[in-house]
Amino acid sequence: MMTIYHNPRCAKSRAGLKYLEENNIEHEVRLYLKDNLSVNELTTLLKQTGLKAEDLVRKQEDYYKKELKGKEFSTEEWLQILIENPRLLQRPIVQKGQKAVLAQPPEKIDELK
């Protein structure tokens, strides 16, 4: 079973969900804007993707451009920023077992099979 961390208002996230559905991949949807992630969950996703915390930040968001751009933050600080501002989280993230991917493009989901 895969879990997709999904924002229905995001085209990339919708593309990831569509990929799962079209390929008949069993999944559950986690609407992380309504059901916020904890620091532990985000830390786990970070480890499972192998990415740095800053790599999971959407740099095209206005909040990032106005408040964060050009500043240095530790991993723990980035995690707290993402918890407090979940719209900044890159999406979709798809998780299966002990591995996760940032599904951009959606075909990256195949790495979890």
Side-chain angles (χ1 to χ4, degrees):
M1 169 78 77
M2 292 190 189
T3 300
I4 181 170
Y5 294 83
H6 180 59
N7 176 350
R9 299 184 74 188
C10 173
K12 290 179 183 176
S13 194
R14 289 193 307 272
L17 183 58
K18 182 178 178 184
Y19 187 85
L20 290 168
E21 291 168 346
E22 287 179 347
N23 289 282
N24 297 313
I25 299 170
E26 192 175 345
H27 64 278
E28 63 182 14
V29 177
R30 172 84 182 264
L31 299 173
Y32 66 91
L33 292 177
K34 290 183 180 179
D35 182 13
N36 293 341
L37 295 171
S38 69
V39 172
N40 286 340
E41 287 174 310
L42 198 51
T43 299
T44 298
L45 287 174
L46 197 61
K47 289 177 184 172
Q48 291 178 341
T49 61
L51 298 172
K52 296 184 290 185
E54 188 175 359
D55 295 336
L56 290 180
V57 176
R58 298 186 74 239
K59 295 175 175 66
Q60 64 269 41
E61 290 287 330
D62 285 339
Y63 180 78
Y64 175 84
K65 291 177 185 176
K66 292 175 183 173
E67 303 293 331
L68 307 172
K69 187 176 181 178
K71 296 180 182 177
E72 295 289 326
F73 296 100
S74 68
T75 297
E76 292 75 22
E77 288 170 326
W78 275 121
L79 291 172
Q80 194 58 44
I81 289 166
L82 287 168
I83 294 298
E84 293 172 5
N85 304 279
R87 290 186 189 282
L88 289 176
L89 184 64
Q90 286 279 14
R91 56 218 178 220
I93 295 172
V94 180
Q95 178 185 43
K96 181 181 181 185
Q98 299 301 310
K99 191 168 181 193
V101 295
L102 177 58
Q104 294 181 16
E107 293 78 18
K108 295 218 19 126
I109 293 168
D110 291 339
E111 295 175 16
L112 300 174
K113 290 183 179 178

